[in-house]
Coordinates of all heavy atoms in Angstrom, one line a residue:
M30 N 14.8 -196.5 200.2 CA 16.2 -196.5 200.0 C 16.6 -195.9 198.7 O 17.4 -195.0 198.5 CB 16.8 -197.9 200.1 CG 17.6 -198.1 201.4 SD 18.2 -199.8 201.4 CE 16.9 -200.6 202.4
A31 N 15.9 -196.3 197.6 CA 16.1 -195.8 196.3 C 15.8 -194.3 196.2 O 16.5 -193.6 195.6 CB 15.3 -196.6 195.3
K32 N 14.7 -194.0 196.9 CA 14.3 -192.6 196.9 C 15.3 -191.7 197.5 O 15.7 -190.6 197.0 CB 13.0 -192.4 197.7 CG 11.8 -192.2 196.8 CD 10.6 -192.0 197.7 CE 9.3 -192.2 196.8 NZ 8.1 -192.3 197.6
K33 N 15.9 -192.1 198.6 CA 16.9 -191.3 199.3 C 18.1 -191.1 198.4 O 18.7 -190.1 198.4 CB 17.3 -192.1 200.6 CG 18.0 -191.2 201.6 CD 18.1 -191.8 203.0 CE 19.5 -192.2 203.3 NZ 19.5 -193.1 204.5
Q34 N 18.5 -192.2 197.7 CA 19.7 -192.1 196.9 C 19.5 -191.1 195.8 O 20.4 -190.4 195.5 CB 20.0 -193.5 196.3 CG 21.0 -194.2 197.2 CD 21.5 -195.5 196.5 OE1 20.9 -195.9 195.6 NE2 22.5 -196.1 197.1
S35 N 18.3 -191.2 195.1 CA 18.1 -190.3 194.0 C 18.0 -188.8 194.5 O 18.5 -187.9 193.8 CB 16.9 -190.6 193.2 OG 15.7 -190.6 194.0
F36 N 17.5 -188.6 195.7 CA 17.5 -187.3 196.2 C 18.9 -186.8 196.4 O 19.2 -185.6 196.0 CB 16.7 -187.3 197.6 CG 16.8 -186.0 198.3 CD1 16.0 -185.0 197.9 CD2 17.5 -185.9 199.5 CE1 16.0 -183.8 198.6 CE2 17.5 -184.7 200.2 CZ 16.7 -183.6 199.7
T37 N 19.8 -187.6 197.0 CA 21.2 -187.2 197.2 C 21.8 -186.9 195.9 O 22.6 -185.9 195.8 CB 21.9 -188.3 197.9 OG1 21.2 -188.7 199.1 CG2 23.3 -187.9 198.4
D38 N 21.5 -187.7 194.9 CA 22.1 -187.5 193.6 C 21.7 -186.2 193.0 O 22.5 -185.4 192.5 CB 21.6 -188.6 192.7 CG 22.6 -189.0 191.6 OD1 23.7 -189.0 191.9 OD2 22.1 -189.1 190.4
K39 N 20.5 -185.8 193.1 CA 20.0 -184.5 192.6 C 20.7 -183.4 193.3 O 21.1 -182.4 192.6 CB 18.5 -184.4 192.9 CG 17.6 -184.4 191.7 CD 16.2 -184.2 192.1 CE 15.3 -185.2 191.4 NZ 13.9 -185.3 192.0
M40 N 20.8 -183.4 194.6 CA 21.4 -182.4 195.3 C 22.9 -182.2 194.9 O 23.4 -181.1 194.8 CB 21.4 -182.6 196.8 CG 20.0 -182.6 197.4 SD 19.1 -181.0 197.2 CE 19.8 -180.1 198.5
S41 N 23.6 -183.3 194.7 CA 25.0 -183.2 194.4 C 25.2 -182.6 192.9 O 26.1 -181.9 192.7 CB 25.7 -184.5 194.5 OG 25.1 -185.5 193.7
K42 N 24.2 -182.9 192.1 CA 24.3 -182.4 190.7 C 24.0 -180.9 190.7 O 24.7 -180.2 190.0 CB 23.2 -183.1 189.9 CG 23.8 -184.3 189.1 CD 22.7 -185.0 188.3 CE 23.1 -186.4 187.9 NZ 22.0 -187.2 187.6
K43 N 23.2 -180.5 191.6 CA 22.8 -179.0 191.6 C 24.0 -178.2 192.0 O 24.2 -177.1 191.5 CB 21.7 -178.9 192.7 CG 20.6 -177.9 192.3 CD 19.7 -177.7 193.5 CE 18.3 -177.4 193.0 NZ 17.3 -177.3 194.1
K44 N 24.8 -178.7 193.0 CA 26.0 -178.0 193.4 C 27.0 -177.8 192.4 O 27.8 -176.9 192.4 CB 26.5 -178.6 194.7 CG 25.6 -178.5 195.8 CD 26.3 -178.5 197.2 CE 25.3 -178.1 198.3 NZ 25.9 -178.2 199.6
G45 N 27.1 -178.8 191.5 CA 28.0 -178.7 190.3 C 29.4 -178.9 190.7 O 29.8 -180.0 190.9
S46 N 30.2 -177.9 190.7 CA 31.6 -178.0 190.9 C 32.0 -178.3 192.4 O 31.3 -178.0 193.3 CB 32.3 -176.7 190.4 OG 31.9 -175.6 191.2
G47 N 33.3 -178.8 192.5 CA 33.8 -179.0 193.8 C 33.3 -180.3 194.4 O 32.5 -181.1 193.8
A48 N 33.6 -180.6 195.6 CA 33.2 -181.8 196.3 C 31.7 -181.7 196.7 O 31.3 -180.7 197.2 CB 34.1 -182.1 197.5
A49 N 31.0 -182.8 196.4 CA 29.6 -182.8 196.7 C 29.4 -183.1 198.2 O 30.1 -184.0 198.8 CB 28.9 -183.9 195.9
H50 N 28.5 -182.4 198.8 CA 28.2 -182.7 200.2 C 26.9 -183.3 200.4 O 25.9 -183.0 199.6 CB 28.2 -181.3 201.0 CG 29.6 -180.8 201.3 ND1 30.4 -180.4 200.4 CD2 30.2 -180.8 202.5 CE1 31.6 -180.0 200.9 NE2 31.5 -180.2 202.2
C51 N 26.7 -184.1 201.4 CA 25.4 -184.7 201.6 C 24.5 -183.7 202.3 O 24.9 -183.0 203.2 CB 25.6 -185.9 202.6 SG 24.1 -186.6 203.1
P52 N 23.3 -183.5 201.8 CA 22.4 -182.6 202.3 C 21.9 -183.0 203.7 O 21.3 -182.2 204.4 CB 21.3 -182.5 201.3 CG 21.3 -183.8 200.6 CD 22.7 -184.3 200.6
V53 N 22.1 -184.2 204.0 CA 21.5 -184.7 205.3 C 22.5 -184.6 206.4 O 22.3 -184.0 207.5 CB 21.1 -186.2 205.2 CG1 20.5 -186.7 206.5 CG2 20.0 -186.3 204.1
C54 N 23.8 -185.1 206.2 CA 24.7 -185.1 207.3 C 25.9 -184.1 207.1 O 26.7 -183.8 207.9 CB 25.3 -186.5 207.6 SG 26.3 -187.1 206.2
D55 N 25.9 -183.5 205.9 CA 26.8 -182.4 205.5 C 28.3 -183.0 205.4 O 29.2 -182.2 205.4 CB 26.8 -181.2 206.4 CG 27.1 -179.9 205.7 OD1 26.8 -179.8 204.5 OD2 27.8 -179.1 206.3
E56 N 28.4 -184.3 205.3 CA 29.7 -184.9 205.0 C 30.0 -184.8 203.6 O 29.1 -184.7 202.7 CB 29.7 -186.3 205.4 CG 29.6 -186.6 206.9 CD 31.0 -186.8 207.5 OE1 31.7 -187.7 207.1 OE2 31.3 -186.0 208.4
I57 N 31.3 -184.8 203.2 CA 31.7 -184.8 201.8 C 31.4 -186.2 201.3 O 31.8 -187.2 202.0 CB 33.2 -184.5 201.6 CG1 33.4 -183.0 202.0 CG2 33.7 -184.8 200.2 CD1 34.9 -182.6 202.0
L58 N 30.8 -186.3 200.2 CA 30.4 -187.6 199.6 C 31.6 -188.2 198.9 O 32.2 -187.5 198.0 CB 29.3 -187.4 198.6 CG 27.9 -187.0 199.2 CD1 27.0 -186.5 198.1 CD2 27.3 -188.2 199.9
T59 N 32.0 -189.3 199.3 CA 33.2 -190.0 198.8 C 32.8 -191.1 197.8 O 32.0 -192.0 198.2 CB 34.0 -190.7 199.9 OG1 34.2 -189.7 201.0 CG2 35.4 -191.1 199.4
P60 N 33.2 -191.0 196.5 CA 32.8 -192.0 195.6 C 33.6 -193.3 195.9 O 34.8 -193.3 196.0 CB 33.2 -191.5 194.2 CG 33.9 -190.2 194.5 CD 34.0 -189.9 195.9
V61 N 32.9 -194.4 196.1 CA 33.5 -195.7 196.3 C 32.9 -196.7 195.3 O 31.8 -196.6 194.9 CB 33.3 -196.2 197.8 CG1 34.0 -195.3 198.8 CG2 31.8 -196.3 198.1
R62 N 33.7 -197.7 195.0 CA 33.3 -198.8 194.2 C 32.8 -199.9 195.0 O 33.4 -200.4 195.9 CB 34.4 -199.3 193.3 CG 34.5 -198.6 192.0 CD 35.5 -199.3 191.1 NE 36.9 -199.0 191.5 CZ 37.6 -198.1 190.9 NH1 37.2 -197.4 189.9 NH2 38.8 -197.8 191.3
V63 N 31.5 -200.3 194.8 CA 31.0 -201.5 195.5 C 30.7 -202.6 194.5 O 30.3 -202.4 193.3 CB 29.7 -201.2 196.3 CG1 30.0 -200.3 197.4 CG2 28.6 -200.6 195.3
R64 N 31.0 -203.8 194.9 CA 30.8 -205.0 194.0 C 29.5 -205.7 194.4 O 29.2 -205.9 195.6 CB 32.0 -206.0 194.2 CG 33.2 -205.6 193.3 CD 34.3 -206.5 193.5 NE 34.9 -206.3 194.8 CZ 35.9 -207.1 195.3 NH1 36.4 -208.0 194.5 NH2 36.4 -206.9 196.5
E65 N 28.8 -206.0 193.4 CA 27.5 -206.7 193.7 C 27.3 -207.7 192.5 O 27.9 -207.6 191.5 CB 26.4 -205.7 193.8 CG 26.2 -204.8 192.7 CD 25.1 -203.7 193.0 OE1 25.0 -203.3 194.2 OE2 24.4 -203.3 192.1
F66 N 26.3 -208.5 192.7 CA 26.0 -209.5 191.7 C 24.7 -209.1 190.9 O 23.8 -208.7 191.4 CB 25.8 -210.9 192.3 CG 27.1 -211.5 192.8 CD1 27.5 -211.4 194.1 CD2 27.9 -212.1 191.9 CE1 28.7 -211.9 194.5 CE2 29.1 -212.7 192.3 CZ 29.5 -212.6 193.6
A67 N 24.8 -209.3 189.6 CA 23.7 -209.1 188.7 C 23.4 -210.4 188.0 O 24.3 -211.1 187.6 CB 24.0 -207.9 187.7
T68 N 22.1 -210.6 187.8 CA 21.8 -211.8 187.0 C 21.4 -211.5 185.6 O 20.6 -210.6 185.4 CB 20.6 -212.6 187.7 OG1 20.8 -212.7 189.1 CG2 20.4 -213.9 187.1
E69 N 22.1 -212.1 184.7 CA 22.0 -211.8 183.3 C 21.8 -213.1 182.5 O 22.7 -213.9 182.4 CB 23.2 -211.0 182.8 CG 22.9 -209.7 182.1 CD 24.1 -209.0 181.7 OE1 24.9 -209.6 180.9 OE2 24.3 -207.9 182.1
G70 N 20.6 -213.2 182.0 CA 20.3 -214.5 181.2 C 20.6 -215.7 182.0 O 21.1 -216.7 181.5
G71 N 20.2 -215.7 183.3 CA 20.3 -216.9 184.1 C 21.7 -217.1 184.7 O 22.0 -218.0 185.5
R72 N 22.6 -216.2 184.3 CA 24.0 -216.3 184.8 C 24.3 -215.2 185.8 O 23.9 -214.0 185.6 CB 25.0 -216.2 183.7 CG 25.1 -217.5 182.9 CD 26.0 -217.4 181.7 NE 27.4 -217.2 182.0 CZ 28.3 -217.0 181.1 NH1 28.0 -217.1 179.8 NH2 29.6 -216.8 181.5
R73 N 25.0 -215.5 186.9 CA 25.3 -214.5 187.9 C 26.7 -213.9 187.5 O 27.6 -214.6 187.2 CB 25.4 -215.2 189.3 CG 24.3 -214.6 190.2 CD 24.1 -215.6 191.3 NE 25.2 -215.7 192.2 CZ 25.2 -215.0 193.4 NH1 24.2 -214.3 193.7 NH2 26.2 -215.1 194.2
R74 N 26.7 -212.6 187.5 CA 27.8 -211.9 187.1 C 28.2 -210.8 188.1 O 27.3 -210.2 188.7 CB 27.5 -211.2 185.7 CG 28.7 -210.7 184.9 CD 28.2 -210.4 183.5 NE 27.3 -209.2 183.5 CZ 27.8 -208.0 183.3 NH1 29.0 -207.8 183.1 NH2 26.9 -207.0 183.3
Q75 N 29.4 -210.7 188.4 CA 29.8 -209.6 189.4 C 30.0 -208.3 188.6 O 30.7 -208.2 187.6 CB 31.1 -210.0 190.1 CG 31.3 -209.3 191.3 CD 32.6 -209.7 192.1 OE1 33.6 -209.8 191.5 NE2 32.4 -209.9 193.4
V76 N 29.4 -207.3 189.2 CA 29.5 -205.9 188.6 C 30.0 -205.0 189.6 O 29.8 -205.1 190.8 CB 28.1 -205.4 188.0 CG1 27.7 -206.3 186.8 CG2 27.0 -205.4 189.1
T77 N 30.6 -203.9 189.1 CA 31.1 -202.9 190.0 C 30.3 -201.6 189.8 O 30.0 -201.2 188.7 CB 32.6 -202.6 189.7 OG1 33.3 -203.8 189.7 CG2 33.2 -201.7 190.8
R78 N 29.9 -201.0 190.9 CA 29.0 -199.8 190.8 C 29.7 -198.7 191.6 O 30.2 -199.0 192.7 CB 27.7 -200.2 191.4 CG 26.6 -199.2 191.1 CD 25.2 -199.9 191.3 NE 25.0 -200.3 192.7 CZ 24.4 -199.6 193.6 NH1 23.8 -198.5 193.3 NH2 24.2 -200.1 194.8
M79 N 29.6 -197.5 191.1 CA 30.1 -196.3 191.9 C 29.0 -195.8 192.8 O 27.9 -195.6 192.3 CB 30.6 -195.2 191.0 CG 31.8 -195.6 190.2 SD 33.2 -195.9 191.2 CE 33.6 -194.3 191.8
V80 N 29.3 -195.6 194.1 CA 28.3 -195.1 195.0 C 29.0 -194.0 195.8 O 30.2 -194.0 196.1 CB 27.9 -196.3 196.0 CG1 27.1 -195.7 197.2 CG2 27.2 -197.4 195.3
K81 N 28.2 -192.9 196.0 CA 28.7 -191.8 196.8 C 28.4 -192.1 198.3 O 27.3 -192.3 198.7 CB 28.0 -190.5 196.4 CG 28.6 -190.0 195.1 CD 28.0 -188.8 194.6 CE 28.6 -188.3 193.3 NZ 27.5 -187.9 192.4
L82 N 29.5 -192.2 199.0 CA 29.4 -192.6 200.4 C 29.5 -191.5 201.4 O 30.4 -190.6 201.2 CB 30.6 -193.6 200.6 CG 30.7 -194.3 202.0 CD1 29.7 -195.4 202.1 CD2 32.1 -194.8 202.2
C83 N 28.7 -191.5 202.4 CA 28.8 -190.6 203.5 C 28.3 -191.3 204.7 O 28.0 -192.5 204.7 CB 28.0 -189.3 203.3 SG 26.2 -189.6 203.3
K84 N 28.2 -190.6 205.9 CA 27.7 -191.3 207.1 C 26.4 -192.0 206.9 O 26.2 -193.0 207.5 CB 27.5 -190.2 208.2 CG 28.7 -189.9 209.1 CD 28.2 -189.0 210.2 CE 29.3 -188.0 210.6 NZ 28.8 -186.9 211.3
C85 N 25.5 -191.4 206.2 CA 24.1 -191.9 206.0 C 24.0 -193.3 205.5 O 23.2 -194.0 205.8 CB 23.3 -190.9 205.2 SG 23.3 -189.2 205.7
N86 N 24.9 -193.6 204.5 CA 24.8 -194.9 203.8 C 26.0 -195.8 204.0 O 26.0 -196.9 203.4 CB 24.4 -194.7 202.3 CG 25.5 -193.9 201.6 OD1 26.6 -193.6 202.2 ND2 25.3 -193.6 200.3
S87 N 26.9 -195.4 204.8 CA 28.1 -196.2 205.0 C 27.8 -197.6 205.6 O 28.3 -198.6 205.2 CB 29.2 -195.5 205.8 OG 28.7 -195.2 207.1
S88 N 26.8 -197.6 206.5 CA 26.4 -198.8 207.1 C 25.7 -199.7 206.2 O 25.7 -200.9 206.2 CB 25.6 -198.6 208.4 OG 24.4 -197.9 208.1
E89 N 24.9 -199.1 205.3 CA 24.2 -199.8 204.2 C 25.2 -200.5 203.3 O 25.0 -201.7 202.9 CB 23.4 -198.8 203.4 CG 21.9 -198.8 203.7 CD 21.2 -197.7 202.8 OE1 21.3 -197.7 201.6 OE2 20.7 -196.8 203.5
I90 N 26.2 -199.8 202.9 CA 27.2 -200.3 201.9 C 28.1 -201.4 202.6 O 28.4 -202.4 202.0 CB 27.9 -199.2 201.3 CG1 26.9 -198.4 200.3 CG2 29.1 -199.7 200.4 CD1 27.3 -197.0 200.0
Y91 N 28.6 -201.0 203.7 CA 29.6 -201.9 204.4 C 28.9 -203.0 205.3 O 29.6 -203.8 205.8 CB 30.6 -201.1 205.1 CG 31.5 -200.3 204.2 CD1 31.6 -199.0 204.3 CD2 32.3 -201.0 203.2 CE1 32.4 -198.2 203.5 CE2 33.1 -200.2 202.4 CZ 33.1 -198.9 202.5 OH 33.9 -198.1 201.6
G92 N 27.6 -202.9 205.4 CA 26.9 -203.8 206.2 C 27.1 -203.5 207.7 O 27.5 -204.4 208.5
Ligands
ZN21 ZN1 24.9 -188.2 204.6

């Protein structure tokens, strides 16, 4: 999962300007904010992370 994400990241960086497309499904990658929990010093904290969303990972993110 992590490998796939970094691969997508690399490809979108390469293209540079304009909307990034997913190299797998060729959909435009939509940046979305996902909330998740991070543990910091024994305390659970909610953090927001930006994720580029397309067909490939939409089910992963939205469950
Ligand atoms: Zn995709």
Side-chain angles (χ1 to χ4, degrees):
M30 252 181 263
K32 251 183 199 168
K33 197 166 108 191
Q34 264 188 351
S35 60
F36 175 71
T37 309
D38 208 43
K39 244 184 233 167
M40 293 301 280
S41 60
K42 266 181 197 154
K43 220 183 211 176
K44 292 212 171 174
S46 60
H50 282 70
C51 173
V53 180
C54 67
D55 211 36
E56 288 267 303
I57 292 172
L58 293 162
T59 313
V61 291
R62 269 191 283 261
V63 291
R64 278 178 291 178
E65 55 186 36
F66 287 98
T68 311
E69 230 177 63
R72 285 174 65 180
R73 247 156 70 98
R74 199 166 67 91
Q75 199 177 46
V76 293
T77 309
R78 193 162 63 96
M79 290 301 288
V80 172
K81 282 179 183 139
L82 182 78
C83 72
K84 266 190 216 164
C85 305
N86 61 6
S87 62
S88 61
E89 258 175 58
I90 288 159
Y91 293 120

